[in-house]
Amino acid sequence: DPAQNKTANRTLELGETEWENYTLHFKATRTAGNKGFIFYFGKADDQNHLYWELGGWQNQDSIVASIINGRNSVLTHAMFTVETDVEYDLKLEVVGRQIRTFINGELVNETEDKLPVIEPLYYTASVEDLTGDIILKTVNVQENSVSAEVLLESLAKEALTIEVYEMSGHPLEDENNFENKQQVSPKQTSFKTEGSSFSY
């Protein structure tokens, strides 16, 4: 932050490259301010890139982070403090999706920028101790419906009453407001099973 550091941000751009494997080796010195350096790489646009931040978060760490569609995700974190008027020998090494950072010849960060994998379903299950109710939460992030076979193994062949609270059919931009308080709300249904497994 230039106002906080009382200095202007100094930026050097290498421009566009088609590199998949590369090593950037450079020296950097902080002359003023209370943080360190940020090095952007793998940049598709302002909303999609990677960066190495050295001396971030109260000048206490070294992180490699990924920004996808404007959302930040820290891939790896290490402790490091940048001192004023000290020259640092820095190296950023990228091999495919493997990323390593070095300070004064020592490995500081090592990570992989994995491609996101969308699973057909995300789910979790728990038991309410007071009532014995089994709570199964399932999220389908795809646009198409998915059929799932649910098997509650520990219940043997016991018949079940299933209460369903389903949120579906809402565009991502839908939200409740004072005029329409129930625009986004679950629909409740129920059904019975003959045993401890069922399809939904």
Side-chain angles (χ1 to χ4, degrees):
D1 181 359
Q4 188 178 20
N5 289 343
K6 308 297 185 203
T7 61
N9 279 345
R10 297 183 181 178
T11 303
L12 172 66
E13 293 191 9
L14 295 178
E16 292 186 19
T17 70
E18 296 296 327
W19 302 338
E20 292 184 10
N21 306 313
Y22 55 91
T23 299
L24 299 178
H25 192 179
F26 42 92
K27 297 182 187 295
T29 303
R30 182 180 78 180
T31 57
N34 56 14
K35 288 196 173 185
F37 318 100
I38 300 180
F39 308 100
Y40 298 97
F41 61 102
K43 185 174 180 179
D45 54 47
D46 289 340
Q47 297 293 305
N48 296 276
H49 59 268
L50 296 136
Y51 66 89
W52 174 21
E53 183 173 23
L54 183 58
W57 190 77
Q58 300 181 352
N59 191 19
Q60 293 185 17
D61 59 10
S62 171
I63 67 166
V64 174
S66 169
I67 294 184
I68 300 175
N69 296 328
R71 294 190 176 189
N72 192 329
S73 177
V74 174
L75 303 177
T76 180
H77 174 274
M79 302 304 291
F80 192 84
T81 298
V82 174
E83 298 178 23
T84 301
D85 295 327
V86 173
E87 183 179 77
Y88 294 96
D89 186 85
L90 306 175
K91 185 166 72 169
L92 171 68
E93 182 182 272
V94 178
V95 179
R97 304 194 76 83
Q98 304 289 326
I99 304 163
R100 299 197 306 169
T101 69
F102 299 82
I103 302 173
N104 297 331
E106 292 188 18
L107 178 65
V108 176
N109 300 104
E110 185 170 21
T111 188
E112 180 181 3
D113 179 30
K114 295 181 179 178
L115 289 168
V117 176
I118 305 300
E119 299 291 343
L121 289 176
Y122 295 89
Y123 56 89
T124 182
S126 60
V127 176
E128 173 57 56
D129 289 336
L130 292 176
T131 63
D133 289 350
I134 297 170
I135 301 167
L136 176 63
K137 297 179 182 179
T138 308
V139 178
N140 174 12
V141 297
Q142 304 174 99
E143 292 185 4
N144 300 323
S145 297
V146 175
S147 295
E149 186 75 22
V150 178
L151 173 60
L152 303 171
E153 292 179 331
S154 63
L155 297 181
K157 300 296 182 185
E158 185 178 336
L160 303 171
T161 299
I162 310 294
E163 293 181 3
V164 178
Y165 298 85
E166 183 176 330
M167 297 272 288
S168 63
H170 298 286
L172 292 177
E173 63 272 12
D174 275 4
E175 61 182 25
N176 294 340
N177 53 46
F178 288 113
E179 290 74 35
N180 193 346
K181 297 176 183 178
Q182 298 296 316
Q183 181 172 352
V184 180
S185 60
K187 305 296 185 278
Q188 184 177 356
T189 58
S190 63
F191 61 91
K192 293 187 180 297
T193 71
E194 295 182 359
S196 59
S197 66
F198 59 93
S199 295
Y200 192 84

